Amino acid sequence: MSFFRRFSRSPEAVIGASILGVLVVMALFAPLLFPRDPLSIAGPALLRPFQDWSLPLGTDRLGRDVLAGLFHGARTSLAVGLASAATAIIIGTIVGTLAGFAGGLTDEALMRITDAFQTVPGFLLALAFVSVIGPSLFVVVLAIALGTWTGPARIARAEVLSIRERDYVASARVIGMHPLEIAFREVLPNALPPVLALSSVIVAAAILTEAALSFLGLGDPNRVTWGGMIAEGRTVLRSAPFLSIIPGIALVLTVLGVYLAGEGAVETTAVRRGRS
């Protein structure tokens, strides 16, 4: 049975994949459906949802289209989540592979660096980093990755420690392959699947962290973000609660979709390994 057939038999995985599919469609079609700058004024301020069908979800305090912000915010959330996860996994797998394969002082030094990063909560590290460097999409991605690479590093190290003594690794040493070539060509590909299982958790955490930074005014000021939309609506929460509720629901559904799809993929892969 193929991976996709097994994946489709899990209700949680299907729900998660469906939510992610909607998010991807929103991100891809945002410039086509809403070609204007989402930060530009589109109508009267504080227009409630469904009062004007040209602005279905209403407008914020400055008269900006909430629906346009929701679609363009999906682009930001998806970009930050995927880029942060990719960066964290790349950094973590490199550090973990080097530590596990080299051993000795190299392992000790790299693991102490990992411990130092783990002692600081990821959000506080991202907050401090963005506050010092300045808010931009690249800085936010890097800040989130700095707080999440330690998990992939530890898992990669544990996997490499169990793989490095296998026969094919010993054979590679005998034929004279360079240690780095053995580590990254022979060992790392076999250690990577457990590390990739963390990707959904990292993506979900990255989306939430980016929203929190934007809520505090530390997101990219040139981009619409769901956290920024929630922050914009808090000053008129009593009179116009939809300004915070709508992006808040989108944020919750996105994180839920990422988590469910990731869990479904991990379970499907685990079933395939068990049967093989």
Side-chain angles (χ1 to χ4, degrees), residues 111-136:
M111 286 301 98
R112 295 298 75 77
I113 293 173
T114 303
D115 290 339
F117 273 88
Q118 280 192 315
T119 58
V120 183
F123 177 71
L124 292 181
L125 182 62
L127 184 65
F129 189 83
V130 175
S131 299
V132 172
I133 304 299
S136 69

Side-chain angles (χ1 to χ4, degrees), residues 89-124:
I89 288 174
I90 290 172
I91 295 173
T93 51
I94 291 174
V95 172
T97 301
L98 291 175
F101 192 78
L105 291 177
T106 301
D107 183 19
E108 188 70 20
L110 291 176
M111 286 301 98
R112 295 298 75 77
I113 293 173
T114 303
D115 290 339
F117 273 88
Q118 280 192 315
T119 58
V120 183
F123 177 71
L124 292 181

Side-chain angles (χ1 to χ4, degrees), residues 1 10 27 139 148 242 248 271:
M1 190 184 298
S10 171
V139 172
T148 54
F242 67 92
V271 169

Side-chain angles (χ1 to χ4, degrees), residues 8-72:
S8 63
R9 292 189 174 185
S10 171
E12 296 85 357
V14 171
I15 293 173
S18 300
I19 295 174
L20 289 183
V22 172
L23 178 67
V24 170
V25 170
M26 290 174 62
L28 291 177
F29 286 92
L32 298 177
L33 297 176
F34 303 98
R36 293 180 55 185
D37 184 357
L39 296 174
S40 63
I41 297 175
L46 295 178
L47 183 68
R48 292 185 175 275
F50 311 120
Q51 287 187 342
D52 184 347
W53 288 105
S54 63
L55 300 166
L57 295 183
T59 58
D60 64 7
R61 293 187 307 153
L62 299 178
R64 296 174 294 196
D65 187 356
V66 174
L67 184 60
L70 202 65
F71 271 68
H72 282 271

Side-chain angles (χ1 to χ4, degrees), residues 169-276:
V169 178
S171 301
R173 290 193 181 100
V174 169
I175 64 175
M177 289 182 66
H178 192 277
L180 289 178
E181 188 177 5
I182 297 174
F184 289 101
R185 289 188 58 184
E186 303 294 332
V187 176
L188 178 58
N190 295 301
L192 202 54
V195 178
L196 294 178
L198 279 179
S199 59
S200 62
V201 177
I202 297 175
V203 170
I207 292 173
L208 287 175
T209 302
E210 185 278 327
L213 291 173
S214 297
F215 182 83
L216 296 174
L218 293 174
D220 190 333
N222 299 316
R223 290 178 177 268
V224 177
T225 64
W226 290 342
M229 293 175 68
I230 295 172
E232 175 68 24
R234 66 180 172 177
T235 56
V236 289
L237 194 59
R238 291 183 179 273
S239 60
F242 67 92
L243 292 179
S244 293
I245 291 175
I246 291 174
I249 291 174
L251 185 62
V252 170
L253 289 177
T254 299
V255 173
L256 181 63
V258 171
Y259 177 77
L260 291 177
E263 286 295 305
V266 170
E267 290 178 5
T268 302
T269 305
V271 169
R272 183 176 63 180
R273 285 184 177 179
R275 291 179 178 177
S276 61

